[in-house]
Amino acid sequence: MKNKINKTFFHNIGQPIMIVRLIVMILLLVITLIPILWGFSLAFRSNQEIVNMKGLDRYTFFPENPTVNNFIKLFSTVNIPRVFLLTLFVSLLVTVLSLILNSLAAYAFARIRFPFRKFLFALLLATLAVPVEILIIPLYPQIYKMGLMNSLSSLIIPFCANAFGIFFMRQFFLGVPKELEEAAMIDGCSRVRIFFAIMIPLAKAALITLGLHIFLQQWDSFLVPVTFISSESKMLLQVAINYIYSGLYFNNFGILYAGMVVATIPIIIVFLFLQRYYVAGISSTGIKG
Amino acid sequence: MKKEKRLKIGLAFICLMLVMSLGLYAQGGKEEVRSDKVIIETFSDLYPEYWMEALEAKGLADKVELRMVPQNQYENKIRMMLAGGEVGDIICIDAPNIGYYAEMNALEPLNGYWDKKDFDDLVGSAQEAMQWKGNIWAAPLNEANCVLYYNKEMFKQAGLVAPTKLADAWSLDELLSAANKLTKVDALGNVEVYGLFPQMFSVDNRNEGMTFTQMLWTWWFGADVISPDGTTVDGYFNSPESKAALQFYADLFNRHKVSPVISMPNPLASGKAAMYINGPWMVGTWQNNFPEFADKWGAMPLPHGSAVASNAGSWNLAITRQSKNKDLAWEIVSAITSTEGSYTYCSNTGNLPARESTLQMSDMSKVPYNIIKEQLIHTAKSRPVTPVYPKISEALMDAFNAVAFGESVDIAFKEAVEKMNAALK
Amino acid sequence: MSTNNSRKDCIEGFSFIAPAFLIIFIFVVYPAFRLFFLSFHDANIMGGIKFTGMGNYKALLHSRDFIRSFTVTLRFMVMVVVIQTILAFIAALIVQEGKRLSNFLRTIFFIPVIISFVVVGYLWQGIYNHDYGLINSFLSLIHIKRQGFLNDPSMALYALTATCIWKSWPYFMMIFLAGLQEIPKELYESAMLDGAGELRRLYSITIPMLRRTILFILLITTMDSVVKVFTPVFVMTSGGPRSETDLLVHYAWRMAFRLGDVGYASSIMVFVFVFLMIVSFVQLKIGERNEE
């Protein structure tokens, strides 16, 4: 793998550029963080206080009377543990299943010469052009005809394999030195054995990266669950947040923000711990594009 | 070592497969494990807990399961559920949609179940709304009607006196003049109080409550929406009177600036609007959510233009054709909408009874019920019954919302007429 | 001998790809064809289907709603592609120096990307709120009239654009960063020896070397800006004041799931697909020509 020491082209420059750089950096930090901090603070304010936020003062980012009331009311409005568990279950299942299915297919494309390989690969490429937002319209009656309407399966099965995952893992497998497999094959190993015993362990980092990507995508997904699920008892996380908002005589802003905090904190924690995998993933898709 | 590793991997894989398949099958496809219960699809603002009370009195409560659907997507969800074959035994239908669902073969006709004398107990507008092409398709939970609510303090300060009887209802000019007096603007040009909130929700909303209250304006100028044979809007919505109504409405927002375009969830209770067109359910809402406001509101009859009109039509229970439990479902529907059932429901939610017997039992002397009683008898109109009502409604509300945001009345009006006629073909 | 091998390869190959392709055929390929099929029919979401040939497409061309939606989508797309890409590029240039600082900045900047669009939508709806929102509070502090933002037809689309850019730009900053790292530093050093200044190095080395990355980013951003906008529109504006934010994907969804007009909605989606294909093709062609 490449390992360039990155002395940037800013290296020998004078003061003016440094200042510009600093200003832009601070600007971007502010634009990124201010909304988040503000929203976060709203979760800890009573509805009365939120409605009274008229001007900028020292209470704009720190509540005057901080309260956890919103969180308490949140738990009585929405069954948070169930929503959480359902979302976790669906996200994990999709992640695990798609890692397996995508890797299998990816390995075949990378290393096995089988008929129609090029055609099937091109087909895969073509599916990138029809994301789920476009397909949701025919998918809806189709899911009904398959008897999966309003079931968690409708949120899981269609997403167990996708072109992006296959491409990603294929890139990885292409990069594995052929000698490893050739040696194993001379020893009499079957392809299946090679796959599970050699390829998968080698691919740990790539798998974690892809897995994280898919997990995040599932955790944040809204269009599909809101379309396929119609029972309150099967709501996923993002749908639940929308549900909080949707009470028409809406005056429970506080609960909404509390819900947003609760929905986001876990994923931020996961991200902070595994960020290097996530970042590596984005970088590699970019270059090979 | 290779063998151990392989074993471990194999085992892990199998465990994973097991867990996953268990998970999948635990959830399964359909959730009707308790299929002997009658399932009612509903949303929380209908206060179905009071149905349970009514059912309890008849010993039917344990035969029912309530399935809650988020309200702002209720119509969508019901249609999708019907398409998906996943809908329960009983659904809630808003009156003007009865024609739509009936035409789509989604409902079971109730003629065979419902005793004629009992049906005649319903008030006139309700009887009208339940029928399409000779059959009865639903039973009303309650009737609806809107009044003009106002903030008593603000009226006092502006020196305005609200009429209390239908005969004294304001004309639109009087309404506009009052709205002008009540609107307060601060030094920077920000509006602190809007004189009039002329429809049910903020104009960035798209739902039936909008049409329910915006259609009033068309009616007040003397126009109807659809021809009696249901084939065209020419001469009805497509008429100079109707266009004048749209213009008057648009002027409220853009010329006189007495009405807000900004999103406002609680216009009257938040003190941001002085007058508000809405229904009797607001009483309950204010009582439960804004107790400090509970005694600060007043109600007066709806204003009139060249014509007098008030609206009608509310939520009803219907039995789906897909139901496997129709007889039991009818027992449930009948119990909830019976005289006693509707009395329990309406007295607890502040809703308006749809049955004359229940009206007699109920205390209609306090505001806004006294006004509503008069309006229901003398001026109530039901929205047009047509299978393509959703498209008509959408076209109408899009036009009203658009002109509120400043769209040219000519363009918005023309578009609405085109869309309506296209839908009626 | 070689036939044995290739037969084995054939069997193994297909069995490896079978599970994934089964899913993809059932849930991507088949619906794609079905979408195309439905677009030539008058179909209702509760059943009932009738062949109408080009009927839906003709209706599209004459539909003011559709033309408005398409225009709005175009405006949005152009704004996002231009502003977001430039922003991501500048940020990448700035962030790349210094290991620890760079890592720290990257992490912070990246947070909006992992927050769900539902949460981002409601968050910004609050920020734009006329009465208690952050921006209006600031405006009233400096004695400017409060603005309607999402409730103002002249501003709603821009407000929506800003929110979407806020959420997505760090993702593309990362891609730029990766691309920047691929550029050999010798190029810069020899340029500096030749006396090339800041901007000159940027113009002559950085941008040309990033060509493929830029193309990749443009392709993805264009597609995302048309397709992945359902959630923010749905959550923040429901299509917005006077349909100013009724982007095509949301418009089609409304047609299908609010009004039950599945055939018409399908034709809109087919249109979106064809449109994206054309735009991507054009971008690729321009990219190819630049490579010479």
Side-chain angles (χ1 to χ4, degrees):
Chain A
M1 305 292 174
K2 299 169 193 158
N3 190 14
K4 301 212 180 300
I5 305 166
N6 196 24
K7 280 269 177 86
T8 84
F9 63 99
F10 280 121
H11 185 58
N12 285 327
I13 48 172
Q15 285 295 85
I17 290 285
M18 286 297 265
I19 294 184
V20 170
R21 186 171 154 249
L22 199 65
I23 293 179
V24 176
M25 212 162 69
I26 294 183
L27 212 61
L28 286 176
L29 269 174
V30 163
I31 294 179
T32 302
L33 288 177
I34 295 278
I36 298 176
L37 285 173
W38 185 82
F40 187 78
S41 80
L42 273 137
F44 295 94
R45 294 178 209 246
S46 67
N47 287 329
Q48 199 56 39
E49 200 183 319
I50 295 179
V51 166
N52 288 333
M53 285 170 72
K54 295 249 171 357
L56 283 183
D57 54 18
R58 65 181 179 282
Y59 294 121
T60 301
F61 292 100
F62 297 101
E64 193 170 340
N65 292 313
T67 166
V68 288
N69 217 7
N70 293 325
F71 290 91
I72 299 175
K73 281 199 278 183
L74 173 71
F75 277 79
S76 60
T77 313
V78 175
N79 187 341
I80 294 284
R82 178 179 60 206
V83 166
F84 239 84
L85 278 173
L86 281 179
T87 311
L88 192 65
F89 174 70
V90 169
S91 306
L92 274 178
L93 208 53
V94 172
T95 304
V96 170
L97 284 175
S98 50
L99 284 179
I100 297 175
L101 266 58
N102 288 338
S103 308
L104 281 169
Y107 179 66
F109 276 113
R111 286 287 185 259
I112 307 180
R113 308 261 298 277
F114 57 91
F116 300 116
R117 185 171 78 158
K118 287 216 171 111
F119 167 72
L120 289 173
F121 193 73
L123 188 65
L124 214 52
L125 198 61
T127 65
L128 284 177
V130 279
V132 75
E133 287 85 359
I134 291 186
L135 294 177
I136 192 96
I137 292 174
L139 262 179
Y140 186 84
Q142 182 177 336
I143 293 283
Y144 145 55
K145 289 196 190 117
M146 297 175 78
L148 294 175
M149 189 54 68
N150 200 31
S151 74
L152 287 184
S153 310
S154 68
L155 305 179
I156 298 174
I157 302 179
F159 306 101
C160 286
N162 66 317
F164 175 76
I166 297 179
F167 286 162
F168 186 81
M169 292 311 293
R170 174 177 174 270
Q171 283 302 120
F172 171 80
F173 287 132
L174 283 176
V176 173
K178 278 202 169 140
E179 295 81 44
L180 275 170
E181 298 162 70
E182 280 165 11
M185 282 206 273
I186 293 176
D187 277 353
C189 270
S190 74
R191 273 250 163 67
V192 180
R193 206 162 151 210
I194 294 178
F195 179 76
F196 282 104
I198 303 179
M199 289 293 154
I200 294 284
L202 275 179
K204 263 202 296 249
L207 286 173
I208 295 182
T209 305
L210 182 62
L212 202 54
H213 236 103
I214 296 177
F215 183 80
L216 183 63
Q217 195 181 53
Q218 288 301 310
W219 185 269
D220 284 352
S221 88
F222 177 70
L223 173 64
V224 172
V226 88
T227 306
F228 289 157
I229 300 287
S230 45
S231 306
E232 265 185 44
S233 63
K234 286 185 183 160
M235 281 197 299
L236 292 199
L237 194 49
Q238 310 304 335
V239 177
I241 297 184
N242 170 250
Y243 172 75
I244 295 174
Y245 178 79
S246 67
L248 284 172
Y249 294 109
F250 178 70
N251 60 324
N252 287 323
F253 305 106
I255 300 184
L256 178 66
Y257 289 98
M260 283 156 57
V261 167
V262 161
T264 309
I265 294 282
I267 205 70
I268 294 201
I269 295 179
V270 168
F271 170 68
L272 285 177
F273 274 110
L274 293 173
Q275 57 167 305
R276 66 189 177 103
Y277 291 105
Y278 196 82
V279 167
I282 300 176
S283 312
S284 69
T285 41
I287 299 173
K288 267 66 167 204
Chain B
M1 212 187 31
K2 249 189 191 164
K3 240 190 183 152
E4 260 186 58
K5 219 180 182 183
R6 197 165 159 231
L7 217 67
K8 265 205 285 183
I9 292 176
L11 233 76
F13 189 76
I14 294 175
C15 282
L16 209 59
M17 288 272 113
L18 242 106
V19 169
M20 293 188 311
S21 33
L22 269 173
L24 267 176
Y25 280 97
Q27 290 305 322
K30 300 168 174 65
E31 75 177 4
E32 263 97 288
V33 182
R34 305 156 272 181
S35 59
D36 48 342
K37 283 208 181 185
V38 162
I39 299 180
I40 310 184
E41 317 276 4
T42 179
F43 52 91
S44 47
D45 273 355
L46 281 181
Y47 299 109
E49 55 265 30
Y50 298 114
W51 305 346
M52 299 309 280
E53 240 188 79
L55 288 173
E56 232 150 272
K58 300 237 164 111
L60 289 169
D62 54 345
K63 299 229 167 55
V64 164
E65 187 191 318
L66 294 175
R67 251 211 309 236
M68 309 297 281
V69 175
Q71 174 171 15
N72 71 338
Q73 298 164 44
Y74 186 77
E75 288 293 335
N76 298 350
K77 295 286 187 183
I78 287 295
R79 283 172 217 177
M80 296 200 275
M81 282 198 262
L82 280 163
E86 280 297 314
V87 77
D89 305 275
I90 300 176
I91 56 175
C92 306
I93 309 185
D94 199 9
N97 289 330
I98 290 178
Y100 173 75
Y101 288 107
E103 190 80 356
M104 284 291 154
N105 262 326
L107 307 177
E108 180 71 15
L110 299 178
N111 313 42
Y113 293 102
W114 207 334
D115 177 59
K116 183 157 195 318
K117 260 177 62 186
D118 192 51
F119 182 75
D120 283 342
D121 187 30
L122 296 178
V123 297
S125 51
Q127 287 193 33
E128 255 187 75
M130 298 301 110
Q131 302 184 64
W132 168 249
K133 289 205 172 143
N135 284 328
I136 301 174
W137 298 100
L141 284 165
N142 56 281
E143 252 299 9
N145 192 256
C146 285
V147 293
L148 186 60
Y149 289 106
Y150 63 92
N151 184 313
K152 292 202 278 204
E153 255 311 304
M154 295 186 189
F155 258 50
K156 217 158 88 172
Q157 278 179 7
L160 292 167
V161 178
T164 49
K165 299 233 279 282
L166 191 56
D168 304 325
W170 279 351
S171 70
L172 287 176
D173 292 324
E174 289 173 295
L175 178 71
L176 182 56
S177 133
N180 274 320
K181 288 203 193 115
L182 291 160
T183 303
K184 300 228 175 323
V185 181
D186 75 8
L188 276 172
N190 294 314
V191 180
E192 286 175 359
V193 178
Y194 285 93
L196 174 64
F197 198 89
Q199 70 289 320
M200 197 183 281
F201 303 111
S202 302
V203 284
D204 59 344
N205 277 291
R206 267 193 159 115
N207 58 56
E208 184 54 28
M210 302 298 283
T211 310
F212 186 56
T213 41
Q214 284 166 336
M215 202 179 272
L216 285 167
W217 294 89
T218 308
W219 287 341
W220 288 333
F221 276 73
D224 270 320
V225 179
I226 306 186
S227 64
D229 63 358
T231 55
T232 179
V233 298
D234 293 332
Y236 295 87
F237 189 77
N238 188 9
S239 66
E241 293 85 10
S242 166
K243 194 167 182 193
L246 196 60
Q247 183 68 61
F248 186 89
Y249 184 83
D251 289 342
L252 291 173
F253 294 86
N254 303 310
R255 209 171 110 206
H256 310 293
K257 304 209 197 229
V258 295
S259 301
V261 289
I262 56 178
S263 199
M264 223 181 247
N266 308 293
L268 208 61
S270 63
K272 295 215 170 64
M275 296 190 279
Y276 183 24
I277 296 181
N278 211 325
W281 45 84
M282 288 310 292
V283 179
T285 301
W286 286 325
Q287 231 159 42
N288 294 326
N289 295 315
F290 298 91
E292 338 79 52
F293 187 69
D295 57 349
K296 300 211 172 77
W297 58 267
M300 65 168 114
L302 290 174
H304 63 88
S306 59
V308 194
S310 64
N311 43 15
S314 185
W315 289 86
N316 312 274
L317 295 177
I319 303 180
T320 59
R321 234 185 243 276
Q322 295 169 18
S323 166
K324 305 229 164 49
N325 242 326
K326 297 192 178 119
D327 292 335
L328 183 54
W330 167 250
E331 269 189 63
I332 308 275
V333 167
S334 180
I336 297 176
T337 62
S338 66
T339 307
E340 308 81 35
S342 64
Y343 179 74
T344 305
Y345 182 64
C346 294
S347 55
N348 277 304
T349 58
N351 274 322
L352 203 59
R355 279 176 175 275
E356 298 211 13
S357 53
T358 319
L359 270 169
Q360 303 303 348
M361 278 170 78
S362 312
D363 179 10
M364 302 286 286
S365 59
K366 284 202 297 206
V367 128
Y369 300 102
N370 49 354
I371 300 173
I372 289 175
K373 197 167 171 191
E374 277 193 283
Q375 288 185 166
L376 260 184
I377 297 174
H378 297 195
T379 67
K381 272 167 93 112
S382 90
R383 284 159 283 175
V385 186
T386 158
V388 295
Y389 181 78
K391 288 197 174 165
I392 304 284
S393 168
E394 186 111 349
L396 191 145
M397 96 173 78
D398 278 351
F400 276 86
N401 286 350
V403 301
F405 276 113
E407 175 70 273
S408 128
V409 173
D410 286 327
I411 295 181
F413 184 73
K414 195 156 156 251
E415 262 190 61
V417 169
E418 270 169 25
K419 280 194 240 176
M420 290 185 188
N421 275 331
L424 287 171
K425 290 231 168 24
Chain C
M1 192 181 56
S2 67
T3 29
N4 259 349
N5 257 345
S6 57
R7 193 153 165 254
K8 193 165 157 253
D9 274 357
C10 177
I11 295 178
E12 279 183 337
F14 278 110
S15 37
F16 268 64
I17 67 169
F21 266 78
L22 190 68
I23 303 267
I24 290 180
F25 262 99
I26 297 178
F27 293 106
V28 181
V29 178
Y30 173 72
F33 281 106
R34 183 93 185 145
L35 179 77
F36 194 62
F37 172 81
L38 282 172
S39 71
F40 295 109
H41 291 71
D42 185 7
N44 187 285
I45 199 164
M46 294 200 328
I49 187 166
K50 202 172 57 178
F51 181 73
T52 60
M54 296 297 285
N56 286 325
Y57 293 100
K58 280 197 215 141
L60 278 186
L61 289 174
H62 292 116
S63 160
R64 234 176 313 224
D65 275 347
F66 171 76
I67 295 178
R68 226 180 350 225
S69 180
F70 181 52
T71 315
V72 164
T73 306
L74 270 179
R75 284 166 60 198
F76 179 81
M77 183 184 91
V78 169
M79 279 197 284
V80 169
V81 168
V82 169
I83 301 177
Q84 191 174 282
T85 308
I86 295 179
L87 180 61
F89 183 56
I90 294 178
L93 290 177
I94 288 177
V95 162
Q96 68 172 332
E97 167 163 352
K99 214 53 193 318
R100 280 175 84 193
L101 184 65
S102 147
N103 276 343
F104 171 74
L105 285 178
R106 245 179 21 194
T107 309
I108 301 276
F109 285 159
F110 210 75
I111 295 180
V113 175
I114 59 175
I115 305 181
S116 86
F117 235 138
V118 173
V119 172
V120 169
Y122 286 126
L123 177 64
W124 278 86
Q125 200 178 47
I127 293 179
Y128 286 132
N129 185 287
H130 183 267
D131 298 312
Y132 67 83
L134 189 59
I135 304 183
N136 275 320
S137 299
F138 178 67
L139 288 182
S140 67
L141 195 72
I142 54 178
H143 298 299
I144 295 183
K145 182 165 187 285
R146 287 168 177 263
Q147 301 297 321
F149 292 114
L150 293 173
N151 292 132
D152 184 338
S154 58
M155 285 189 190
L157 186 64
Y158 302 108
L160 180 71
T161 309
T163 302
C164 293
I165 293 179
W166 182 85
K167 183 189 183 333
S168 313
W169 74 264
Y171 187 84
F172 297 95
M173 174 188 76
M174 297 298 215
I175 302 183
F176 268 124
L177 273 175
L180 283 173
Q181 293 202 335
E182 291 293 306
I183 302 177
K185 67 173 172 100
E186 296 83 40
L187 285 178
Y188 291 121
E189 292 187 347
S190 61
M192 286 197 288
L193 288 174
D194 281 349
E198 204 44 64
L199 289 167
R200 189 78 209 287
R201 290 203 295 271
L202 192 68
Y203 184 70
S204 309
I205 304 176
T206 315
I207 295 185
M209 290 297 289
L210 282 176
R211 212 158 249 148
R212 282 187 79 197
T213 310
I214 294 180
L215 183 63
F216 177 74
I217 290 183
L218 286 179
L219 281 169
I220 302 280
T221 309
T222 308
M223 177 136 164
D224 278 2
S225 70
V226 173
V227 157
K228 291 208 188 306
V229 292
F230 175 79
T231 304
V233 172
F234 182 89
V235 159
M236 291 171 87
T237 63
S238 303
R242 275 162 67 180
S243 305
E244 269 292 301
T245 60
D246 201 8
L247 276 68
L248 280 174
V249 171
H250 181 262
Y251 174 60
W253 186 91
R254 269 202 307 125
M255 291 292 120
F257 296 111
R258 277 233 164 92
L259 296 178
D261 209 338
V262 170
Y264 185 66
S266 299
S267 61
I268 300 175
M269 285 308 198
V270 170
F271 177 87
V272 168
F273 170 75
V274 169
F275 171 72
L276 279 176
M277 289 294 99
I278 296 178
V279 171
S280 305
F281 186 71
V282 167
Q283 283 174 327
L284 278 169
K285 275 281 171 244
I286 296 182
E288 262 175 43
R289 229 171 343 116
N290 275 334
E291 293 248 343
E292 287 147 22

